[in-house]
Amino acid sequence: MTATHTAPAAGARAPLALIGTGALAMAAVETLNPGYDLVSETLSRYVHGTAGWLLPAALLAVGAASAVLAVRLGAGSRRAGRAALVVWTAGILVAALFPADPPGHWSRPSLSELVHGNAAFLAFAALPTAAVLLRRTLAAHRPALSTALNVLTVASVTATAALAVFLADVMDGGPSLGLGGAPTLVGLVERLVLAADLGWIALALAAARPRGGQKRGPRA
């Protein structure tokens, strides 16, 4: 007889489930707060709205999945890429623990807002850096995913650069980079960054997933 173990396969799926849970939690808090302007208001402000606890829960889930990815990549990947991934992970986890201020509080931030904002800024800068540095390692793991990973890497880099411009505008006395009735597009751009980053992490987890989900035990 042979004994079949499914635990490794289940363990491989767990971080992907965390990413999915985080994305669903973000979508849920967005849906539950229609009064917030998703175009001009960053998602972090939703922590003060209906079911605001979903936002830090989502960030914790994403941070946990990112930590798993950093461990899985191991010594076979570029050290600078893994370091950038660790910075992203730490930034997301810190941002989850320190809530942002309510909407409209750009000019006089609290200590919690300062910690949250700086942690999020470092995380957003680190993820596209990690994506660029780790693309060859991940492509070597799963060549079939290389094109999708490259597309999401470009999307993350581009959207993050745009977000930096909008954040600089808002914090410099704006907002002025708006469209129609929206005074700024910083909220919309932030959501594009999150979509690209979460998509990249999910694909990277799939690429770094251990091969061979089942192991055969001893014959009896």
Side-chain angles (χ1 to χ4, degrees):
M1 296 176 62
T2 61
T4 302
H5 301 283
T6 59
R13 290 191 296 266
L16 285 171
L18 284 172
I19 290 294
T21 299
L24 286 174
M26 291 181 190
V29 75
E30 192 99 63
T31 303
L32 291 170
N33 291 277
Y36 283 63
D37 185 0
L38 64 85
V39 174
S40 60
E41 202 62 70
T42 59
L43 189 61
S44 299
R45 311 295 181 179
Y46 284 56
V47 70
H48 297 281
T50 301
W53 61 270
L54 284 171
L55 184 58
L59 295 178
L60 290 173
V62 171
S66 301
V68 172
L69 175 60
V71 171
R72 280 189 183 167
L73 287 171
S77 57
R78 293 186 63 176
R79 182 177 300 178
R82 295 200 319 275
L85 188 58
V86 169
V87 172
W88 153 267
T89 302
I92 287 295
L93 293 175
V94 171
L97 298 176
F98 290 85
D101 287 345
H105 289 235
W106 288 102
S107 59
R108 301 182 64 182
S110 67
L111 177 60
S112 181
E113 165 71 18
L114 289 172
V115 174
H116 175 92
N118 283 294
F121 179 81
L122 286 174
F124 282 141
L127 196 282
T129 303
V132 170
L133 294 175
L134 295 172
R135 58 192 179 90
R136 290 185 179 179
T137 299
L138 293 168
H141 275 282
R142 293 288 194 279
L145 297 178
S146 61
T147 299
L149 283 165
N150 286 336
V151 169
L152 285 173
T153 297
V154 172
S156 178
V157 170
T158 304
T160 300
L163 179 63
V165 171
F166 279 97
L167 285 174
D169 174 66
V170 169
M171 292 184 289
D172 192 40
S176 59
L177 299 174
L179 180 66
T184 177
L185 306 182
V186 65
L188 178 61
V189 176
E190 182 202 43
R191 285 157 178 79
L192 294 176
V193 172
L194 285 170
D197 290 353
L198 295 187
W200 183 88
I201 295 169
L203 278 182
L205 282 165
R209 181 168 55 185
R211 296 178 183 273
Q214 294 185 339
K215 295 182 180 180
R216 293 186 180 273
R219 295 181 179 272

